[in-house]
Amino acid sequence: MATTLLPRAAALTARRFKRGLLFLVMLLLGVIMLYPLYYMVDSSLRTSAQYQSGSGHSLASWHALFEALPVGQEMANSALITIAALAIIVAVSTSAGFGFAKLRYRGSGAVVAAIIACLMVPVQSIILPEFANLSQAGLVNNYSSAILVYAALGTPFATFLMTVYFRELPDELIEAALLDGLSYRSIFVRIALPMARPAIAAVVVLQFIQIWDDLLVGLLFLQTPEHRTITTGLGVLAAGRVTSLPVLMAGATLSALPAVAVYLLLQRHLVRGLTMGIGK
């Protein structure tokens, strides 16, 4: 009896040791990833003198930020551009993904391969031709230019993800709906879209963070002060009028809050969308 219990106790001890080691590793990774956020928030609550001395806290840097930038307008610009681009990305990717997955036609595989190939093209190699084309069309320095560029950059990945996700829907379900008299449009709206909520949430989270935090497109296509996003405003601020690190950290904290909030609200759907889509 004692000889039987010894291996079990050893196995239990080894399992507990592995769990404890895993917990310590995850804790270390969590500290490493959260420390920059803590440093950013803590620095924003100091003046330049307090930051240099390493002691004391104040809201002076936040007041200086709101005096140096039209924060409310730039946050509103960011929200408008991000939401509009997301609406286009979701509308195009869901309909295209359903079509590629369930309405296959001759050459559809080549079209999907071309979309996947678009993911391999560096943004830096196409951003200048896009700027030249939109400039000739008179769309530079207004919201529509940034919205169109963000939608064009985000749609290939979103379409790929939605295509893979919709392929996991049983064909029998589509056939049963057709026998019940539903059209493909009704199947898409009433069946496919509700079942694809996790994948749509994954697209929204990933693209929201990408668009909200982007600087390159904003600097090129939104050069007038009244159209700048919060990220572009901070970039201009860092390059010229304000060199105070605590003020810049206050702006970075404010800019990061919406992306963090969206991620926290949709993180469960994000995991489901990625594991049920690309994971398969």
Side-chain angles (χ1 to χ4, degrees), residues 10 65 73 82 97 105 125 133 149 232 235 247 249 259 266:
L65 173 68
Q73 179 182 350
T82 303
Y105 55 90
S125 65
N133 292 331
V149 172
T232 307
V247 175
M249 290 295 103
L266 299 177

Side-chain angles (χ1 to χ4, degrees), residues 28 52 150:
L28 178 61
Q52 295 293 334
Y150 284 131

